[in-house]
Amino acid sequence: MEEDKKQSHNARMQRKKEVVDAAIGRAQEERGIVILITGNGKGKTTSAFGTLYRALGHGQRAGVVQFIKGTHATGEVIFLQKQGLDTAVQYHAMATGFTWNTQNWDADKRAADEAWAQASRMLADPALDLVLLDELTYMLKYNYLDTDQVIAAIRARPPRQTVIVTGRAAKPELAELADTVSEIADRKHAFKAGVKAQAGIDF
């Protein structure tokens, strides 16, 4: 690279560093946050579990409630069990499968209430640094759970506890509550091209 271009690059990096350092200097509040991962694209649960594993790496304790997942354990949960990390993670799965398979609102409602009872307990537990509510958005979309009650429970959690909520079609109340909102877009998906869902990739 030519010398003048190197100097120009270095100057840009210096300005960038000043901006980043200033932002770090402003961000001094210490508290748990609410993270919402939504959108129609693939990777919401995967992202949330990545954060869970990051927290475990720092010796933190976590709780996980999975709503509207299948009756078989996912790769993320199998990994926790094989590594013996499930002792650091409180786990509950609604385990009724997807609502379009059960086609039974009453049964799904009972399962949702049981799952929410576990989630409420976790949200009130100051020993948990992180609570992951996977696919919670469906519970609100299909009116299995009361949105106001869910929002109130998340607001009332211990101040250092972080909550991650995943799922499509998140209600505006959740987005407003969240400190961080990531929306994953669906541009292409192998399943739509006829590729079968694969263990280790899709579940």
Side-chain angles (χ1 to χ4, degrees):
M1 182 182 290
E2 298 174 4
E3 192 61 32
D4 59 337
K5 291 184 178 180
K6 290 180 181 178
Q7 292 178 359
S8 177
H9 169 79
N10 292 343
R12 287 198 305 274
M13 292 303 101
Q14 177 61 36
R15 291 193 296 272
K16 183 177 182 66
K17 182 179 185 305
E18 291 171 356
V19 171
V20 172
D21 288 347
I24 293 173
R26 291 190 300 270
Q28 294 300 308
E29 183 180 2
E30 294 186 21
R31 63 175 175 82
I33 63 173
V34 177
I35 302 170
L36 172 62
I37 308 173
T38 189
N40 293 332
K42 169 180 165 55
K44 295 179 289 294
T45 295
T46 305
S47 173
F49 267 91
T51 303
L52 170 72
Y53 294 139
R54 175 180 288 170
L56 294 177
H58 286 285
Q60 298 181 10
R61 297 197 52 167
V64 178
V65 177
Q66 289 195 290
F67 298 92
I68 311 192
K69 288 297 184 184
T71 54
H72 301 289
T74 61
E76 298 94 339
V77 176
I78 293 171
F79 177 80
L80 285 174
Q81 294 168 343
K82 285 184 175 180
Q83 300 301 315
L85 297 175
D86 53 326
T87 57
V89 179
Q90 299 179 26
Y91 178 78
H92 178 83
M94 190 166 150
T96 55
F98 295 99
T99 56
W100 50 86
N101 287 331
T102 61
Q103 301 171 22
N104 188 329
W105 193 91
D106 291 330
D108 287 344
K109 171 62 175 167
R110 288 192 295 271
D113 286 342
E114 180 182 350
W116 177 244
Q118 295 297 323
S120 297
R121 178 185 57 77
M122 294 178 189
L123 290 169
D125 188 349
L128 296 180
D129 302 285
L130 176 69
V131 175
L132 167 55
L133 304 176
D134 187 38
E135 309 285 14
L136 174 66
T137 61
Y138 286 101
M139 299 295 97
L140 307 183
K141 178 180 179 180
Y142 296 130
N143 297 314
Y144 295 135
L145 299 177
D146 180 74
T147 299
D148 291 339
Q149 181 183 14
V150 169
I151 295 295
I154 295 175
R155 286 190 188 277
R157 74 192 189 281
R160 299 301 293 267
Q161 186 184 88
T162 287
V163 176
I164 304 177
V165 175
T166 72
R168 299 184 180 198
K171 287 204 169 184
E173 295 91 330
L174 271 178
E176 182 178 350
L177 172 67
D179 298 283
T180 298
V181 179
S182 295
E183 186 166 352
I184 300 180
D186 183 22
R187 295 193 176 183
K188 294 178 69 175
H189 198 301
F191 181 74
K192 292 181 179 179
V195 179
K196 185 177 181 179
Q198 304 175 57
I201 302 299
D202 300 292
F203 57 90

